[in-house]
């Protein structure tokens, strides 16, 4: 009861707009989109390149290539030796990363601002002249397998829950979102350098990329460097469009897997929801916070603290896509609680959201949490760069970075009930049961 | 990449039609341009009447606010024998304060998207809150509550004590952590910077200790409140005044013994039987926090072992392939700090690696640093600095730390330019003073039976056990063989143990010892709900030597089975067991030393060991899950009262090491000896005698 009363003490925040991000965008003649945002708070620059390619671009028999390719991007180019990329960034005192998602692949360097030239040059060199050899290809193929083995396959539930996200849509009509990012090891074993070279030519062209630079730099100088480093890289062809028919709800589907690292049964419920730019996304995101994010969320409070039927429970929209997305609810049963009874309780909680809806206090809490995360991400140069990339890719314009929060502030409790009824229904769910044991 | 390959790639690239502009496109990585000046907002300062210093770093760029309250209440103020009090105080501050329980406090901050935390270091206890600036009043209220009105609820204390004990046991099973403790104690002697929390200290802490620590050390005088973000000075003062105005007092000024002066190099070898690698740590005391040679010493430390280009990374890593990650660090507390360098090397290379580290360390203080190497080190250190002060939260923490250490207000602003001005001569001088060549403390954690002799060639070596007790070279001699058993203790009996997972009952283990025509039979039925279900039958001969082991069961849903026959020289049979990689099956046919125990039989025979407070046994143990004979050590680490559901017993606490996990056994001092508790280090599982 103490917890419940705490949630009623949430007062509406005096919503204050986040400080605006001033950015400009232009295109080079080879089609590279550039976004520049000067931000002089810290003597730092972030160089952030998104390629418009992800696992959704892969075809049957060729899965895992986008992720493997992200690895290859660190293995050297015409002027950068193998392994030297990371070394050069470390020497400058910087940070770098690469990451593959369903829709995009991102690469970034955060550097002290007097090394903007290094970040731009490293990105330009691999965009213009990536070295793809049989040796590096073979090594990285093994590295990807090892990553899966030591990462996903070595943590209870994670692999099963993530794999489940890609079982929601039909692989015949929506192959792009019906296979995992890591892909099939058998496909990877068949892939070779020729396929990698083709992938590079098709997707890693300037015309398929966006370069965002944020931080303590001079725009005139940055433009000069960008023109010199990227300007003469040839434009690529236009990649084939991705088709994903998210056909009408197929009714409740069930799937069961075993997890040898799991000690307790667990349930994942996956609901089919529209693409990120659709009007219902803000309401669904706020609903996911109300249901399953934080200690005061419904699942944590009602199924965790009060009924004690889960040891952990959360919900969220775990992958951001232009195409149809997935609203996931995950819970691990307490000792002595069966998978079926946990699922029934989860289903009842979700049905309650569609029936009774949520309270104003819960909506305020969700808005507060969302707003705080948006504002917090406007400080680090790299976080700002990512916000701009997100706005341009998923909302069609960098302007959305300054207007996006409004879509969340205008969500009402009625919207929450409406989206819960519309999407979190029994007709629209895939229920995954994870049981301890087995070798999968 | 080879040069040929690189040229081939380049040629391919040119041929594919990407013309390179010779003037504009650099063929090598472009170097740094001049530093731009730091753009930190000015620090605005105010002092409350009660002595609490206020520093505001005003920035209205985003509606965010970070509060950092720094109190002179670090671990140095732990009462002797109760090491861990400061950490427990910090841990409990946010677990209930003012009108809020732990859960309510959590919800209050989480529901506005903020965060609230408390932590402790050697000198200071720090409380930090981050919120949207619209929640400024709430942030002050919560920081005020946790600072001034913590509940120190008994239930929360026990939860934290269990966590802290488990964390500490985990830490003590890590050789690097054991080495760091021995090094700190050796460097600082009786100065409290050398002390660390101990399981005994943590178990001795009572709520009254927390209350008196809080009353004495959580005081406004000498404390510092740093605020960064969207707030004006008048508003900050008003909020600070209304939150902290009535708080009064000054923490007592510390009176610590001076750390010892080390005049010669000493070596301590921490004997870890069977360790496959050695941890080498070398340290010496340096200077207090405001010493002007800090940055030059930092550069010296970076040259030695700061990253992949460092001298030790090149020699220990690339050249010899002994260690991938040698590290060096300068600790910078308010008082005297220390320089440390460490590496994790193969046992057989221990003395060579140690020699190499000492050599490279001496070179930094004697040979001029080549200009490009100096430039690279300064660039890396100056380059990473601004990445760490991008957010108001980072900024508040950095300003708080600098000011608490007594550094001038200009420290952060001038950091990079001062670092970039460090000269080669300054580095050599600083290294000579602070990376000492002739008065180091060397700590090696490894298998003494294999490295002691080699280390003595480098100088005198003091031997200690992992618990810090002195050993003699005679203790290194491996004396394994049949354990001398007191067969009178092997009487027919049945024992029930409860299996606790994270403190909750999760299963049972029932053991039964019977006399048979051949000798003895021991039957063990273990059941952990949803996880393990297994029956083990062990036959021993009349001398209690191993004869046969049969184990059947299910683990994580998989069938497991072990069937082994022992004679004095050999174990044969088959096993199907679970491993972290899944089930594995294998045949067993292994030569064994006389007296080898099956790992399943250790528990059965413990009551027949000849117990005393200083007992120590070297055992050969056949581990059927691993299909190998392991050298293990069982050593009594203490005698004390143990409370389990079956009652309170005075017990020998003994630790079994050398296998995959360290296991603590608690055996009653009273005869017939009875095993009443088993705890596995680093795992949340224990077995306790049932009523």
């Amino acid at each position: 009861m103490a917890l419940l009363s705490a949630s009623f003490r949430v007062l509406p925040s005096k919503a204050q707009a986040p400080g605006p991000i001033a950015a400009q965008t232009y295109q080079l003649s080879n089609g590279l989109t550039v976004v520049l945002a000067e931000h002089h708070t810290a003597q730092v620059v972030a160089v952030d390149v998104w390629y418009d390619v992800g696992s959704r671009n892969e075809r049957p028999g060729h899965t895992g290539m986008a992720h493997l390719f992200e690895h290859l991007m660190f293995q050297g180019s015409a002027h950068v030796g193998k392994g030297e990329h990371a070394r050069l960034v470390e020497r400058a005192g910087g940070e770098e990363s690469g990451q593959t998602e369903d829709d995009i692949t991102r690469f970034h360097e955060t550097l002290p601002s007097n090394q903007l030239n290094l970040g731009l040059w490293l990105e330009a060199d691999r965009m213009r002249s990536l070295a793809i050899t049989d040796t590096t290809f073979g090594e990285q193929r093994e590295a990807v397998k090892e990553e899966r083995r030591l990462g996903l396959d070595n943590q209870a539930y994670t692999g099963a829950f993530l794999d489940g996200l890609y079982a929601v849509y039909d692989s015949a009509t929506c192959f792009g979102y019906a296979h995992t990012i890591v892909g099939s090891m058998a496909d990877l074993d068949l892939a070779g350098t020729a396929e990698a070279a083709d992938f590079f030519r098709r997707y890693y062209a300037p015309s398929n990329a966006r370069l965002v630079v944020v931080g303590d730099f001079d725009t005139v100088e940055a433009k000069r460097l960008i023109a010199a480093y990227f300007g003469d890289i040839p434009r690529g062809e236009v990649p084939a469009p991705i088709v994903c028919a998210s056909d009408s709800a197929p009714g409740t589907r069930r799937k069961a897997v075993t997890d040898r690292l799991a000690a307790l049964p667990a349930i994942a419920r996956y609901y089919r929801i529209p693409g990120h730019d659709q009007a219902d996304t803000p309401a669904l995101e706020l609903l996911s916070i109300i249901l399953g994010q934080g200690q005061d969320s419904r699942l944590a409070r009602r199924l965790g603290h009060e009924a004690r039927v889960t040891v952990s429970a959360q919900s969220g929209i775990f992958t951001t896509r232009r195409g149809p997305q997935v609203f996931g609810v995950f819970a691990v049963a307490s000792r002595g609680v069966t998978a079926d009874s946990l699922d029934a309780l989860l289903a009842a909680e979700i049905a309650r959201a569609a029936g009774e809806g949520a309270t104003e206090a819960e909506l305020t809490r969700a808005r507060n949490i969302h707003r705080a995360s948006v504002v917090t991400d406007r400080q680090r140069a790299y976080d700002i760069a990512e916000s701009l990339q997100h706005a341009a890719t998923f909302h069609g314009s960098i302007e959305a970075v300054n207007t996006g929060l409004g879509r969340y502030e205008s969500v009402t409790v009625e919207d929450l009930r409406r989206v819960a009824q519309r999407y979190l229904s029994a007709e629209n769910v895939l229920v995954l049961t994870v049981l301890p044991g087995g070798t999968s | 990449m080879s040069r040929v390959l690189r040229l081939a790639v380049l040629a391919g690239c040119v041929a594919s039609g990407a013309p390179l502009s010779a003037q504009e496109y650099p063929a090598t990585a472009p170097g740094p341009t001049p530093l731009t000046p730091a753009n930190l907002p000015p620090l605005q300062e105010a002092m409350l009447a009660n002595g609490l210093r206020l520093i505001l770093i005003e920035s209205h760029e985003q509606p965010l606010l970070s509060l950092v309250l720094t109190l002179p209440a670090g671990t140095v103020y732990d009462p002797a024998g109760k090491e861990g009090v400061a950490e427990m105080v910090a841990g409990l501050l946010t677990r209930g304060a003012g009108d809020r329980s732990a859960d309510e406090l959590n919800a209050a901050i989480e529901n506005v998207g903020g965060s609230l935390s408390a932590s402790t270091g050697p000198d200071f206890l720090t409380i930090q809150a981050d919120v949207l600036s619209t929640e400024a009043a709430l942030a002050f209220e919560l920081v005020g509550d946790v600072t001034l009105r913590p509940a120190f609820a008994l239930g929360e204390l026990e939860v934290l004590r269990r966590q802290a004990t488990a964390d500490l046991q985990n830490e003590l099973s890590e050789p690097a952590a054991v080495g760091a403790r021995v090094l700190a104690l050796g460097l600082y002697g009786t100065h409290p910077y050398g002390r660390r929390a101990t399981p005994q200290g943590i178990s001795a802490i009572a709520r009254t200790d927390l209350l008196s620590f809080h009353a004495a050390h959580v005081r406004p005088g000498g404390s510092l409140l740093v605020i960064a973000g969207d707030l004006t000075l008048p508003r900050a003062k008003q909020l600070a005044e209304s939150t902290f105005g009535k708080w009064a007092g000054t923490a007592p000024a510390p009176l610590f013994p001076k750390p010892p002066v080390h005049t010669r190099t000493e070596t301590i070898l921490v004997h870890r039987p069977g360790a496959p690698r050695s941890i080498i740590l070398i340290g010496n005391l340096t200077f207090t926090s405001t010493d002007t040679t800090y940055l030059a010493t930092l550069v010296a430390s970076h040259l030695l072992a700061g990253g992949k280009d460092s001298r030790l990374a090149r020699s220990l890593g690339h050249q010899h392939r002994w260690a991938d990650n040698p590290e060096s660090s300068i600790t910078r507390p308010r008082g005297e700090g220390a320089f440390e360098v460490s590496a994790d090397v193969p046992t057989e290379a221990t003395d060579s690696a140690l020699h190499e580290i000492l050599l490279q360390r001496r070179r930094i203080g004697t040979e001029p640093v080549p200009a490009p190497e100096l430039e690279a080190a300064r660039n890396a250190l100056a380059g990473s600095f601004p990445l760490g002060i991008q957010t108001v939260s980072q900024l508040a923490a950095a300003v708080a730390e600098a000011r608490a250490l007594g550094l001038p207000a200009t420290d952060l602003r001038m950091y990079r330019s001062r670092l970039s001005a460090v000269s080669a001569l300054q580095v050599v001088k600083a290294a000579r003073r602070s990376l000492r060549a002739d008065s180091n403390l060397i700590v090696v954690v490894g298998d003494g039976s294999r490295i002691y002799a080699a280390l003595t060639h480098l100088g005198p070596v003091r031997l200690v056990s992992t618990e810090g007790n002195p050993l003699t070279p005679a203790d290194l001699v491996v004396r394994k063989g049949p354990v001398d058993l007191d067969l009178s203790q092997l009487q027919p009996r049945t024992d029930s143990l409860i299996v606790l997972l994270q403190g909750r009952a999760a299963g049972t283990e029932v053991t039964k010892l019977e006399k048979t025509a051949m000798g003895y039979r021991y039957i063990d039925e273990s059941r952990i709900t949803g996880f393990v279900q297994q029956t083990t039958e062990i036959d021993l001969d009349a001398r209690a030597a191993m004869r046969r082991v049969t184990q059947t069961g299910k683990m994580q849903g998989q069938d497991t089975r072990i069937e082994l026959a022992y004679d004095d020289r050999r174990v044969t049979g088959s096993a199907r067991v679970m491993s972290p990689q899944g089930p594995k099956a294998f045949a067993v046919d292994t030569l064994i030393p006389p007296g080898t125990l099956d790992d399943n039989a250790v528990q059965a025979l413990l009551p027949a060991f000849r117990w005393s407070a200083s007992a120590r046994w070297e055992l050969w143990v056949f581990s059927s899950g691993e299909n190998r004979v392991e050298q293990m050590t069982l050593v009594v680490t203490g005698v004390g009262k143990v409370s389990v559901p079956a009652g309170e017993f005075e017990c020998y606490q003994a630790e079994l090491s050398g296998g995959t996990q360290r296991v603590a056994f608690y055996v009653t001092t009273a005869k017939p000896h009875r095993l009443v508790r088993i705890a596995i280090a680093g795992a949340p599982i224990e077995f306790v005698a049932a009523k």
Side-chain angles (χ1 to χ4, degrees):
Chain A
M1 282 320 285
L3 284 163
L4 204 59
S5 65
S7 74
F8 286 114
R9 271 196 262 153
V10 178
L11 299 172
S13 285
K14 301 162 282 291
Q16 184 177 339
I21 296 171
Q24 56 167 288
T25 182
Y26 64 99
Q27 226 171 33
L28 300 188
S29 60
N30 59 11
L32 177 70
T33 302
V34 180
V35 178
L36 301 177
E38 286 190 33
H39 183 253
H40 298 282
T41 306
Q43 282 59 63
V44 163
V45 284
V47 174
D48 190 21
V49 180
W50 279 25
Y51 290 92
D52 190 352
V53 59
S55 56
R56 73 171 194 153
N57 297 82
E58 294 161 353
R59 290 161 295 130
H62 302 269
T63 63
M65 196 63 201
H67 176 226
L68 176 59
F69 207 88
E70 171 222 311
H71 279 242
L72 290 175
M73 287 286 278
F74 291 91
Q75 299 306 310
S77 48
H79 304 92
V80 181
K82 187 177 169 186
E84 208 182 322
H85 185 109
R87 189 68 73 85
L88 287 166
V89 174
E90 185 197 298
R91 279 181 195 152
E95 297 167 351
E96 40 82 22
S97 66
Q99 199 185 9
T100 312
E101 289 193 1
D102 296 351
D103 279 26
I104 58 105
T105 308
R106 61 163 67 84
F107 299 92
H108 122 270
E109 293 78 33
T110 301
L111 292 158
S113 50
N114 64 331
Q115 285 270 255
L116 169 66
N117 51 6
L118 175 66
L120 292 173
W121 182 78
L122 284 169
E123 290 304 343
D125 210 58
R126 56 185 174 182
M127 190 186 287
R128 68 164 60 226
S129 63
L130 189 71
I132 304 168
T133 68
D134 286 340
T135 312
T136 54
F137 188 85
E139 285 169 359
Q140 291 314 307
R141 178 164 55 197
E142 292 314 304
V144 165
K145 290 182 186 175
E146 190 73 356
E147 191 178 301
R148 166 93 202 189
R149 202 169 63 75
L150 294 179
L152 297 182
D153 286 351
N154 208 26
Q155 299 163 30
Y157 309 113
T158 314
F161 284 166
L162 273 180
D163 286 353
L165 284 173
Y166 298 94
V168 176
Y169 292 100
D170 184 0
S171 108
T173 54
C174 183
F175 184 78
Y177 294 137
H179 69 276
T180 62
I181 293 173
V182 172
S184 144
M185 296 303 135
D187 286 359
L188 285 178
D189 282 335
L190 290 174
T193 45
E195 188 176 329
D198 181 57
F199 198 89
F200 181 64
R201 190 181 50 75
R202 197 182 293 268
Y203 297 114
Y204 278 75
S207 44
N208 202 43
R210 186 183 309 104
L211 164 69
V212 176
V213 184
V214 175
D216 175 40
F217 61 86
D218 172 65
T219 294
V220 175
E221 172 64 4
K223 282 184 170 173
R224 189 187 71 76
L225 287 171
I226 290 165
Y229 293 178
F230 292 88
D232 59 359
I233 305 175
R235 169 190 285 276
E237 59 191 89
V238 179
I242 304 304
V243 181
C244 177
S246 57
D247 43 2
S248 57
T252 304
R253 289 183 301 142
R254 291 188 180 271
K255 200 170 176 285
V257 296
T258 54
D259 182 342
R260 66 184 167 78
L261 296 176
L264 298 161
I267 293 290
R269 295 179 74 90
Y270 304 100
Y271 296 89
R272 299 144 64 102
I273 60 167
H276 182 80
D277 65 342
Q278 298 298 301
D280 285 338
T281 296
L284 283 163
E285 282 191 0
L286 294 176
L287 185 61
S288 81
I289 295 173
I290 291 168
L291 266 179
Q293 289 175 32
Q295 304 207 26
D296 220 9
S297 68
R298 286 191 177 188
L299 297 181
R301 215 173 58 219
R302 292 171 57 90
L303 300 191
H305 293 288
E306 291 170 18
R308 296 191 176 275
V309 292
T310 69
V311 291
S312 78
Q314 52 174 321
S315 60
I317 300 168
F318 292 87
T319 57
T320 306
R321 297 171 177 168
R322 282 164 287 189
Q325 305 185 109
V326 177
F327 186 106
V329 181
F330 303 141
V332 178
S334 297
R335 204 161 286 284
V337 175
T338 65
D340 286 348
S341 56
L342 173 62
D343 185 47
L345 290 161
L346 273 181
E349 253 336 295
I350 292 162
R352 208 166 70 86
E356 297 168 22
T359 64
E360 282 291 348
E362 286 177 310
L363 175 58
T364 300
R365 169 183 174 273
R367 270 202 212 112
N368 288 346
I369 290 173
H370 178 262
R371 187 186 313 119
S373 81
V374 169
V375 177
T376 301
D377 281 348
R378 294 184 170 222
Q379 303 180 86
R380 284 191 186 84
Y382 176 50
D383 290 336
I384 297 172
E386 281 286 303
S387 301
L388 287 162
Q389 290 279 21
H390 174 93
T393 299
F394 295 106
H395 300 283
S397 152
I398 57 168
E399 285 312 308
V401 81
N402 290 324
T403 57
L405 203 55
R407 299 171 67 212
Y408 292 79
E409 303 294 349
S410 61
V411 169
T412 65
V413 288
E414 190 38 54
D415 291 328
L416 296 175
R417 195 206 317 261
R418 182 179 54 73
V419 298
Q421 281 170 356
R422 175 156 181 203
Y423 301 107
L424 308 190
S425 72
E427 293 72 47
N428 193 34
V429 69
L430 166 67
V431 182
L432 176 74
T433 305
V434 185
L435 294 171
T439 54
S440 66
Chain B
M1 194 189 300
S2 76
R3 182 176 300 174
V4 176
L5 203 55
R6 211 147 134 182
L7 286 173
V9 169
L10 184 59
C13 163
V14 172
S16 73
L20 303 180
S21 157
Q23 274 81 44
E24 289 278 39
Y25 191 81
T28 57
T33 56
L35 291 180
T36 48
N39 187 31
L40 296 174
L43 307 186
Q44 305 176 59
E45 306 206 18
M47 180 81 94
L48 267 56
N50 60 10
L52 176 65
R53 181 179 293 275
L54 188 74
I55 297 180
L56 174 68
I57 311 143
E58 191 172 343
S59 160
H60 302 285
E61 193 177 307
Q62 293 299 336
L64 286 166
L65 194 60
S66 185
L67 262 61
V68 176
L69 178 62
T70 306
L71 304 149
T75 58
V76 286
Y77 306 104
D78 280 344
K82 293 190 173 174
E83 286 77 15
V85 165
E87 284 179 45
M88 293 280 246
V89 166
L92 285 172
L93 289 181
T94 54
R95 298 194 186 202
D99 299 333
R100 294 178 177 91
S101 69
D103 288 333
E104 288 167 342
L105 201 53
N106 245 320
I109 191 73
E110 183 190 285
N111 290 349
V112 296
S115 67
L116 175 69
S117 62
S119 61
T120 186
D123 299 300
F124 303 103
L125 189 157
T126 304
I127 299 164
Q128 179 153 12
D130 289 284
V131 290
L132 288 172
S133 52
T134 45
E135 305 295 340
L138 178 71
F140 273 87
E141 180 191 331
L142 296 180
V143 171
D145 277 351
V146 303
T147 307
L148 307 175
R149 290 171 289 278
F152 294 125
L154 276 175
E156 298 291 343
L157 168 60
E158 292 314 317
V159 171
L160 185 60
R161 193 200 305 276
R162 273 203 298 279
Q163 277 175 7
T165 308
D167 289 350
L168 189 57
Q169 278 168 350
N170 212 2
E171 184 191 323
L172 292 176
S173 68
E174 293 290 329
V178 170
R181 282 173 166 253
V182 172
L183 185 70
L185 188 64
L187 287 178
Y188 285 103
T190 54
H191 187 281
Y193 284 162
R195 297 187 309 182
R196 297 290 181 271
T198 63
Q200 295 81 2
I202 290 175
S203 67
I205 293 168
R207 182 168 183 267
T208 49
D209 296 316
L210 307 179
L211 293 172
S212 37
F213 184 94
H214 180 262
H217 299 287
V218 178
R219 291 286 160 201
S223 295
L224 176 67
L225 177 64
V226 176
I227 304 160
D230 180 25
L231 204 67
T232 60
L233 188 62
R235 176 80 174 130
K237 274 158 84 173
Q238 180 204 346
L239 284 165
E241 195 63 58
S242 67
T243 308
F244 296 111
K246 294 197 179 109
W247 188 25
T250 297
L255 256 183
F256 299 130
K258 280 195 82 62
V261 176
H262 299 265
T263 53
R264 62 186 180 84
T265 294
E266 290 175 84
T267 304
I268 301 175
L269 171 54
V270 183
H271 178 42
R272 210 165 165 265
R277 297 177 70 82
S278 298
I279 306 286
I280 300 173
L281 302 102
I282 307 177
N284 58 248
L285 297 181
T286 51
F287 39 66
T288 57
S289 59
T290 53
D291 192 279
T292 52
T293 65
Y294 174 73
L295 290 178
T297 314
L298 194 64
V299 172
S301 167
H302 190 85
L303 288 171
L304 183 64
K308 297 192 185 74
D309 289 331
S310 71
R311 293 182 180 186
L312 285 179
R314 280 182 276 151
S315 72
L316 297 188
H318 303 173
Q319 192 182 336
H320 295 294
R321 305 258 161 223
W322 289 329
D324 288 335
N325 52 350
E327 285 176 7
S328 61
S329 65
I330 307 171
T331 57
R332 194 188 198 185
R334 178 99 216 204
E336 203 161 352
F339 169 76
E340 295 174 21
V341 55
S342 65
D344 177 343
V345 303
T347 299
E348 58 277 11
T350 306
D351 55 327
S352 313
L354 174 57
H355 183 75
E356 178 68 23
I357 298 172
L358 291 171
L359 179 78
Q360 294 296 350
R361 193 180 152 123
R362 181 172 289 117
R363 277 187 59 210
I364 304 247
T366 49
E367 297 173 15
V369 183
E373 196 185 1
L374 174 66
E375 178 75 21
R378 289 186 313 207
N379 272 344
L381 289 168
S384 62
F385 178 75
L387 273 66
I389 49 169
Q390 296 187 70
T391 67
V392 291
S393 180
Q394 291 173 323
L395 203 52
V399 168
E401 187 187 352
R403 296 309 296 277
L405 290 178
L407 303 173
T410 53
D411 188 68
L412 295 185
R413 188 185 306 279
M414 303 300 291
Y415 185 90
R416 293 205 303 166
S417 52
R418 286 179 43 222
L419 189 62
S420 303
V422 168
S423 71
L425 185 61
Q426 285 172 320
V427 172
V428 172
K429 280 169 79 174
R432 196 171 303 152
R433 175 177 166 224
S434 299
L435 279 62
R436 290 191 205 144
D438 54 357
S439 51
N440 295 308
L441 180 60
I442 299 169
V443 174
V444 179
V445 186
D447 186 343
S449 68
R450 295 172 63 195
I451 57 180
Y452 175 72
L455 291 182
T456 55
H457 294 306
L458 300 172
V461 176
R462 185 149 63 87
L463 267 171
V464 297
S465 69
T466 50
E467 295 76 30
N469 301 320
L471 297 178
T472 67
D475 293 317
L476 301 178
V477 178
V478 181
R479 284 186 308 257
K480 280 173 282 286
V483 176
D484 179 23
L485 297 172
D486 176 2
L487 296 178
S488 70
Q489 295 293 312
L490 290 182
Q491 296 301 325
R493 58 176 298 131
T494 300
D495 284 304
S496 291
L497 295 137
I498 300 169
V499 185
L500 299 177
L501 266 179
Q502 285 164 334
R504 287 202 212 169
T508 55
E509 179 182 21
V510 177
T511 66
K512 195 166 158 189
L513 185 72
E514 298 168 350
K515 284 220 161 148
T516 60
M518 183 175 68
Y520 303 90
R521 171 169 292 171
Y522 178 79
I523 303 166
D524 177 322
E525 302 252 10
S526 295
R527 200 171 285 267
I528 304 177
T529 315
F531 193 65
V532 178
Q533 180 184 339
Q534 82 185 8
T535 303
T536 311
E537 285 185 25
I538 301 169
D539 284 323
L540 307 165
D541 68 12
R543 296 173 298 122
M546 299 299 311
R547 281 301 164 248
R548 195 179 63 83
V549 175
T550 310
Q551 187 176 69
T552 55
K554 262 190 187 304
M555 187 177 262
Q556 294 165 299
Q558 295 287 309
D559 288 325
T560 59
R561 183 166 185 86
I562 295 171
E563 286 183 89
L564 300 174
Y566 282 83
D567 63 27
D568 286 344
R569 295 279 163 195
R570 199 179 199 98
V571 54
T572 53
S574 64
R576 176 183 155 83
V577 298
M578 282 298 286
S579 74
Q581 287 76 41
K584 61 175 182 183
F586 47 85
V588 175
D589 186 358
T590 304
L591 291 177
I592 52 173
T596 297
L597 299 178
D598 188 274
D599 58 351
N600 290 292
V602 174
Q603 184 177 342
L605 292 172
L606 281 180
F609 280 37
R610 295 186 189 274
W611 291 93
S612 75
S614 60
R616 174 187 182 93
W617 298 272
E618 303 292 341
L619 312 169
W620 289 112
V621 175
F622 180 72
S623 169
S624 38
E626 305 291 327
N627 194 12
R628 65 164 185 253
V629 184
E630 290 168 328
Q631 310 175 25
M632 296 199 191
T633 303
L634 180 69
V635 60
V636 175
T637 55
V639 180
K641 291 256 190 293
V642 173
S643 189
V644 292
E648 191 178 72
F649 302 93
E650 190 187 59
C651 286
Y652 295 111
Q653 177 183 349
E655 190 178 74
L656 183 68
S657 59
T660 44
Q661 275 168 314
R662 297 187 150 222
V663 184
F665 294 103
Y666 297 76
V667 175
T668 60
T669 53
K671 290 185 176 181
H673 295 306
R674 180 179 168 195
L675 178 63
V676 296
R677 180 168 182 254
I678 307 170
I680 297 170
I685 185 164
E686 56 180 315
F687 299 71
V688 290
K691 275 180 190 150

